[in-house]
Amino acid sequence: SVVRAFERQKPSRMAEEAFAAGNQEFVKENWKGALDFFSKAADLDNHKAEYHLHKAAALMKLNNFESAIACCEKVLSFEPSNPKAFLRKGMILVQKGDFELARQALTDGQKADPTNKSFGTWLAKCKSEGPAAAVANPQLRMCDETLTSLLELHGNQGYALAETVIEFLHRKGDFFKSPALAVDMITSLARRYAEADSDNVSRPAGGGMRTLTMTMSASAKAALDKALKDREAALAEGAASGGGPAGIKPGTQCKLNGCSVVYCDEGSLTQESLHHPGAPVFHEGARFLSHLSYAHRTAPS
């Protein structure tokens, strides 16, 4: 009967409402609130992959990696070849620092969807941050005399010395083969030492600590200001042209009317929307492209 059909649909509708509410909380960076709604949606519709994967994203934001991985495994239990589940699982494992398992998950996902370039990006992270990076750098503090001389040569300006080193790597190696990855690595190193607890930082044998006066010349400050301005312009251009994930701010909602999907990370670019055919559109310029891509995917051969 009509009543019975409505009753069967009711949990699905409630799940969609909870999912939409979770997306709204995610936009606000209320990870706990988002998790509660995504969990409710997943409980109401236990075989909807997107509900579990969004729940995994919220859990990852809360650093609850084991539970986040369990959500991905849940999806893979009823959709063994779901590339988004493999991608999310790989991303979580990278964040956790388990690069070997991350590489395995990402490789399996890449086999399921060879066209998704996000797998290559995250596999590169495993290669650059994996076992080799996990081992302590044996050259740390072994080059202090040379580096002290170089620092003095640069007028005790850390920014100038860092620029010299980065420019050298750009010319002499493949460090910038993947520019986005290189930026992530440099940022990661800077954050590691900026956030390090001074009480836990090992000191060179024999003491010999001395205070270095750090200054910034007018030209260095002008170069830094220009670099920041260029970066903002590049991000703005990416957001306007749909040039890639770097131009999309996390929390951006799909531009198509009635759609509540929000951008979390690279995995959001290929997820199926519940509100319209094709993938979500996170910038105005891709409205037509999204529908064109959907038509191409669904056109009969």
Side-chain angles (χ1 to χ4, degrees), residues 182-233:
V183 171
D184 285 346
M185 292 171 64
I186 293 172
T187 303
S188 176
L189 285 172
R191 185 180 295 113
R192 178 192 303 175
Y193 291 101
E195 297 177 352
D197 186 343
S198 59
D199 292 335
N200 295 326
V201 176
S202 58
R203 304 298 183 188
M209 300 293 291
R210 64 170 179 162
T211 301
L212 297 177
T213 302
M214 302 301 293
T215 59
M216 179 178 288
S217 66
S219 59
K221 185 177 185 305
L224 177 60
D225 292 341
K226 183 179 184 301
L228 292 174
K229 185 178 296 184
D230 290 345
R231 179 177 181 277
E232 292 177 358

Side-chain angles (χ1 to χ4, degrees), residues 281-296:
V281 175
F282 298 109
H283 47 81
E284 293 291 344
R287 283 178 179 267
F288 172 74
L289 181 59
S290 175
H291 292 295
L292 179 62
S293 299
Y294 176 76
H296 176 72

Side-chain angles (χ1 to χ4, degrees), residues 99 103 122-133:
F99 299 103
R103 188 179 298 109
W122 284 90
L123 281 168
K125 286 179 178 285
C126 292
K127 182 177 179 181
S128 62
E129 300 179 14

